[in-house]
């Protein structure tokens, strides 16, 4: 529905586009701040686990996961979450609800590799917890940013 004011300027759809662009930028900004927080939290929890004796050695190749590896992987998959959230904001009628379902499902799937890795109990338990740390930061933060009055 467009209306014309006295100057002959059509107003209407442009403001909707601006609002959507603003929401996308706000979501991306919030998501990147949450990503940094998730990376720091995950790395700190991994460092604490190492300090109490968790070795993070995975038998598949026998290598130890470095602390920087936790930060990098957390950052990568958090950005994937932001991309999913942006896509849902753009193309979904209920982006927050669909994001939560998608993110929780992907988090549950991410718990499978530590369980089948063959690592010792301490490493497996720590890895499971380390999958949940960034999820507890990212999912509520992005879902809150996606909420609309109809969700």
């Amino acid at each position: 529905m467009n209306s014309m004011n006295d100057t002959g300027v059509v107003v209407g759809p442009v403001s909707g586009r601006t609002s959507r662009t603003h929401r996308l930028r706000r979501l991306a900004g919030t998501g990147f701040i949450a990503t940094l927080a998730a990376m720091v939290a995950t790395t700190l929890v991994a460092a604490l686990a190492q300090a109490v004796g968790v070795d993070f050695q995975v038998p598949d190749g026998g290598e130890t996961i470095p602390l920087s590896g936790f930060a990098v992987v957390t950052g990568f998959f958090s950005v994937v979450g932001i991309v999913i959230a942006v896509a849902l904001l753009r193309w979904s009628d209920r982006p927050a609800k669909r994001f939560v379902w998608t993110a929780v499902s992907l988090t549950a799937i991410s718990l499978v590799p530590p369980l089948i890795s063959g690592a010792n109990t301490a490493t497996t338990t720590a890895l499971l917890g380390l999958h949940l740390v960034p999820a507890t930061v990212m999912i509520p933060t992005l879902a809150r940013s996606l909420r609309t009055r109809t969700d």
Side-chain angles (χ1 to χ4, degrees):
M1 186 184 289
N2 293 338
S3 62
M4 193 175 285
N5 62 20
D6 291 340
T7 62
V9 176
V10 176
V11 293
V14 174
S15 64
R17 220 176 299 145
T18 303
S19 175
R20 183 181 313 159
T21 301
H22 177 71
R23 282 192 75 196
L24 285 170
R25 284 184 182 158
R26 189 178 72 220
L27 174 63
T30 300
F32 284 116
I33 291 168
T35 296
L36 292 174
M39 290 169 67
V40 168
T42 303
T43 305
L44 284 174
V45 171
L48 288 171
Q50 261 185 347
V52 298
V54 177
D55 62 8
F56 292 116
Q57 186 172 5
V58 181
D60 218 13
E63 293 186 25
T64 300
I65 303 169
L67 286 179
S68 61
F70 292 107
V72 169
V73 171
T74 299
F76 176 79
F77 284 107
S78 294
V79 170
V80 169
I82 295 168
V83 170
I84 291 169
V86 166
L88 289 171
L89 180 62
R90 174 73 174 96
W91 290 297
S92 176
D93 291 337
R94 294 186 157 274
K97 186 176 185 175
R98 288 196 170 88
F99 176 77
V100 170
W101 275 98
T102 302
V104 169
S105 298
L106 291 173
T107 301
I109 291 168
S110 80
L111 299 176
V112 174
L115 291 171
I116 63 172
S117 69
N120 64 39
T121 303
T123 299
T124 300
T125 303
L127 288 173
L128 291 171
L130 287 168
H131 279 79
L132 299 177
V133 169
T136 60
V137 173
M138 294 302 295
I139 295 171
T141 302
L142 291 175
R144 197 174 311 115
S145 291
L146 289 168
R147 293 234 191 289
T148 62
R149 291 182 203 162
T150 59
D151 277 347

